[in-house]
Amino acid sequence: MARARQRACLEQGLKLDLNRLAHQGFVRPGAKVGPYPIRWFNTYWEEEIASGLIGASMEGKYEGWFRIQIGQLDQTIILVPKARHFGGHQWYFVCPVMNRCCSVLWRPPGAAYFRSRQAWGSRRVAYASQFLDSDNRAHRGKAKIKGRLIADLDPDEWELPPKPKWMRWETYNRIVERFDAYEEILNGGIAELMAKLLGK
């Protein structure tokens, strides 16, 4: 008999998203910054799950570094700039294990260090959505879209919030299509359940 696999959920651990850190001012191309305090929260209960210090140097032309300290963890990760097709540079982490560029690093529950998603392997970790059935994935997808668009609008008033001023129509229309696809999945699930209940 096959042994059941136990995979850790990535979202229950810690995440470093270099683009989000740049947007929040924690890292800055052309500058050395930090150390700054950083905290992670459980999104459901708004509880703090970890805190630490981060600092970074993006002063170099070919390489920089990112340092994170959380309790016993003191990890320095190489940063590299890559030329964009439309000009300028995009900075990336270099995964300490895979030695490849990535924008996001993960530290799943129980892990000692941050690594790229690929470095953890599909047998050891999974995204939260991979633990859900299709209906729950659809509910989760709709909630994520609503959370992205809602801004300061009343969430009880809107099933699908209107396009934010800063968003392009092309982007918003793609989001609406994805939202509608999730809705179709849920409607199909309801129809299937009703058929079972009515014995058809």
Side-chain angles (χ1 to χ4, degrees), residues 52-199:
L53 295 171
I54 58 172
S57 171
M58 295 177 164
E59 299 171 297
K61 189 175 179 181
Y62 303 107
E63 189 174 290
W65 54 263
F66 179 91
R67 184 179 182 194
I68 179 148
Q69 299 167 282
I70 305 171
Q72 300 291 329
L73 170 68
D74 188 347
Q75 184 177 7
T76 300
I77 300 152
I78 296 169
L79 300 174
V80 293
K82 297 283 185 182
R84 291 177 170 161
H85 295 295
F86 46 87
H89 291 83
Q90 173 77 38
W91 283 83
Y92 294 93
F93 291 118
V94 175
C95 173
V97 175
M98 305 289 285
N99 199 33
R100 63 190 294 267
C101 293
C102 57
S103 296
V104 177
L105 296 176
W106 297 92
R107 181 182 169 201
Y113 297 100
F114 285 89
R115 301 176 179 177
S116 66
R117 164 68 178 87
Q118 291 77 12
W120 290 112
S122 60
R123 293 179 182 216
R124 294 176 62 194
V125 297
Y127 293 111
S129 61
Q130 292 176 273
F131 294 99
L132 303 174
D133 60 22
S134 61
D135 280 0
N136 284 318
R137 276 197 298 275
H139 280 297
R140 186 172 188 269
K142 284 178 64 177
K144 284 179 77 173
I145 289 171
K146 186 174 179 177
R148 179 179 176 189
L149 300 175
I150 199 68
D152 56 357
L153 299 172
D154 182 354
D156 294 330
E157 275 188 37
W158 298 94
E159 169 86 0
L160 176 63
K163 182 187 85 64
K165 290 179 183 176
W166 50 266
M167 185 177 281
R168 294 173 59 204
W169 275 107
E170 184 182 336
T171 304
Y172 183 72
N173 290 335
R174 276 199 312 269
I175 290 170
V176 170
E177 285 177 20
R178 202 160 65 241
F179 190 91
D180 289 344
Y182 289 137
E183 192 68 32
E184 280 185 35
I185 291 167
L186 293 172
N187 289 339
I190 291 169
E192 195 176 305
L193 180 62
M194 289 302 292
K196 285 180 183 175
L197 290 173
L198 297 172

Side-chain angles (χ1 to χ4, degrees), residues 27-43:
V27 298
R28 204 162 43 248
K32 182 178 178 182
V33 296
Y36 294 132
I38 186 170
R39 301 188 300 167
W40 287 266
F41 290 90
N42 179 309
T43 52

